[in-house]
Amino acid sequence: MNFNNNKAIYEQMADRLCDEIIAENYKADDRIPSVREYSVMLEVNTNTAVKAYELLARDAIIYNKRGLGYFVSPNARTQILTQRKNEFMNEMLPEVFRQMKLLQIDIKDIEKMWNETHTS
Protein backbone atom coordinates (compact mmCIF):
# COMPACT_ATOMS: atom_id res chain seq x y z
CA MET A 1 0.00 0.00 0.00
CA ASN A 2 1.28 3.46 -0.85
CA PHE A 3 0.88 5.79 2.11
CA ASN A 4 0.71 9.57 1.94
CA ASN A 5 1.78 12.18 4.47
CA ASN A 6 -1.67 13.73 4.94
CA LYS A 7 -2.81 11.20 7.56
CA ALA A 8 -1.27 8.83 10.04
CA ILE A 9 -0.58 5.37 8.59
CA TYR A 10 -3.00 3.67 10.98
CA GLU A 11 -5.77 6.05 9.83
CA GLN A 12 -5.00 5.23 6.20
CA MET A 13 -5.16 1.53 7.04
CA ALA A 14 -8.53 2.04 8.73
CA ASP A 15 -9.73 3.96 5.65
CA ARG A 16 -8.62 1.10 3.41
CA LEU A 17 -10.52 -1.43 5.48
CA CYS A 18 -13.57 0.84 5.33
CA ASP A 19 -13.17 0.99 1.52
CA GLU A 20 -13.19 -2.81 1.47
CA ILE A 21 -16.35 -2.86 3.59
CA ILE A 22 -18.05 -0.33 1.29
CA ALA A 23 -17.04 -2.44 -1.72
CA GLU A 24 -18.57 -5.41 0.13
CA ASN A 25 -15.34 -7.39 0.12
CA TYR A 26 -16.27 -7.85 3.77
CA LYS A 27 -19.96 -7.92 4.66
CA ALA A 28 -21.78 -7.66 7.98
CA ASP A 29 -20.49 -10.22 10.48
CA ASP A 30 -17.70 -11.38 8.12
CA ARG A 31 -14.35 -12.07 9.76
CA ILE A 32 -11.65 -9.69 8.61
CA PRO A 33 -7.93 -10.50 8.47
CA SER A 34 -6.22 -10.67 11.84
CA VAL A 35 -4.10 -7.74 12.94
CA ARG A 36 -0.98 -9.74 12.10
CA GLU A 37 -2.31 -10.82 8.67
CA TYR A 38 -3.28 -7.25 7.80
CA SER A 39 0.05 -5.82 8.92
CA VAL A 40 1.93 -8.39 6.80
CA MET A 41 -0.38 -7.73 3.82
CA LEU A 42 0.28 -3.98 3.99
CA GLU A 43 3.91 -4.32 5.10
CA VAL A 44 3.54 -2.26 8.27
CA ASN A 45 4.39 -2.75 11.92
CA THR A 46 1.88 -4.85 13.85
CA ASN A 47 1.44 -2.03 16.39
CA THR A 48 0.27 0.25 13.57
CA ALA A 49 -2.34 -2.32 12.55
CA VAL A 50 -3.44 -2.65 16.18
CA LYS A 51 -4.08 1.12 16.27
CA ALA A 52 -6.12 0.90 13.06
CA TYR A 53 -8.25 -1.92 14.44
CA GLU A 54 -8.70 -0.10 17.76
CA LEU A 55 -9.89 2.99 15.89
CA LEU A 56 -12.41 0.97 13.88
CA ALA A 57 -13.60 -0.89 16.99
CA ARG A 58 -14.01 2.41 18.86
CA ASP A 59 -16.15 3.68 15.97
CA ALA A 60 -18.18 0.41 16.02
CA ILE A 61 -17.15 -0.46 12.46
CA ILE A 62 -15.68 -3.77 13.63
CA TYR A 63 -16.04 -5.83 16.80
CA ASN A 64 -13.87 -8.43 18.48
CA LYS A 65 -14.96 -11.96 19.31
CA ARG A 66 -12.46 -13.05 21.91
CA GLY A 67 -10.29 -15.84 20.56
CA LEU A 68 -11.87 -15.68 17.08
CA GLY A 69 -10.75 -12.30 15.77
CA TYR A 70 -12.39 -9.17 14.41
CA PHE A 71 -15.66 -9.05 12.50
CA VAL A 72 -17.58 -6.40 10.55
CA SER A 73 -20.36 -4.79 12.58
CA PRO A 74 -23.88 -5.32 11.21
CA ASN A 75 -24.46 -1.70 10.15
CA ALA A 76 -20.82 -0.82 9.37
CA ARG A 77 -21.33 -0.22 5.64
CA THR A 78 -24.25 2.16 6.18
CA GLN A 79 -22.37 3.95 8.94
CA ILE A 80 -19.26 4.41 6.78
CA LEU A 81 -21.28 5.63 3.79
CA THR A 82 -23.18 8.13 5.91
CA GLN A 83 -20.00 9.47 7.50
CA ARG A 84 -18.13 9.73 4.21
CA LYS A 85 -21.05 11.39 2.40
CA ASN A 86 -21.26 13.97 5.17
CA GLU A 87 -17.51 14.62 5.00
CA PHE A 88 -17.69 14.95 1.22
CA MET A 89 -20.68 17.30 1.26
CA ASN A 90 -19.45 19.47 4.13
CA GLU A 91 -15.67 19.48 3.66
CA MET A 92 -14.65 18.52 0.13
CA LEU A 93 -17.47 19.87 -2.01
CA PRO A 94 -17.22 23.49 -0.81
CA GLU A 95 -13.55 23.47 -1.84
CA VAL A 96 -14.43 21.93 -5.21
CA PHE A 97 -17.03 24.66 -5.76
CA ARG A 98 -14.51 27.33 -4.80
CA GLN A 99 -12.00 25.95 -7.29
CA MET A 100 -14.66 25.68 -9.99
CA LYS A 101 -15.53 29.33 -9.50
CA LEU A 102 -11.88 30.42 -9.58
CA LEU A 103 -11.19 28.38 -12.71
CA GLN A 104 -14.49 29.30 -14.35
CA ILE A 105 -15.58 25.69 -14.67
CA ASP A 106 -19.30 25.32 -15.28
CA ILE A 107 -21.39 22.54 -13.77
CA LYS A 108 -22.19 21.47 -17.34
CA ASP A 109 -18.47 20.76 -17.88
CA ILE A 110 -18.52 18.56 -14.79
CA GLU A 111 -21.69 16.80 -15.92
CA LYS A 112 -20.17 16.14 -19.34
CA MET A 113 -17.04 14.65 -17.81
CA TRP A 114 -19.14 12.59 -15.38
CA ASN A 115 -21.16 11.16 -18.27
CA GLU A 116 -18.03 10.38 -20.28
CA THR A 117 -16.38 8.51 -17.45
CA HIS A 118 -19.49 6.65 -16.28
CA THR A 119 -20.92 5.46 -19.59
CA SER A 120 -17.96 3.47 -20.87
Side-chain angles (χ1 to χ4, degrees):
M1 180 172 172
N2 294 326
F3 297 103
N4 63 50
N5 293 327
N6 298 340
K7 272 186 173 179
I9 291 174
Y10 77 93
E11 292 175 322
Q12 293 176 63
M13 290 177 68
D15 287 345
R16 178 187 164 135
L17 202 48
C18 286
D19 290 346
E20 292 173 348
I21 292 168
I22 291 172
E24 296 185 309
N25 295 343
Y26 302 112
K27 296 182 173 122
D29 296 312
D30 279 356
R31 185 182 176 282
I32 60 173
S34 71
V35 170
R36 183 166 295 153
E37 291 168 340
Y38 210 56
S39 65
V40 168
M41 186 185 325
L42 300 183
E43 300 176 347
V44 299
N45 185 293
T46 304
N47 293 331
T48 304
V50 166
K51 287 176 76 171
Y53 278 48
E54 287 174 348
L55 174 64
L56 293 172
R58 195 170 42 249
D59 290 344
I61 301 298
I62 61 175
Y63 63 93
N64 188 6
K65 284 187 182 177
R66 194 169 184 94
L68 296 176
Y70 283 93
F71 295 79
V72 177
S73 296
N75 64 344
R77 186 171 188 274
T78 302
Q79 182 179 338
I80 296 164
L81 285 170
T82 299
Q83 177 187 352
R84 288 199 176 172
K85 284 178 185 178
N86 286 338
E87 286 174 7
F88 179 80
M89 297 299 279
N90 296 320
E91 296 171 22
M92 297 173 85
L93 206 50
E95 176 59 19
V96 169
F97 289 155
R98 188 180 79 75
Q99 289 293 324
M100 287 173 63
K101 186 175 182 177
L102 283 172
L103 300 172
Q104 299 176 348
I105 298 172
D106 189 78
I107 195 72
K108 290 176 184 166
D109 299 326
I110 302 296
E111 185 178 11
K112 180 182 176 205
M113 189 170 196
W114 173 269
N115 290 330
E116 288 172 0
T117 58
H118 286 83
T119 56
S120 44

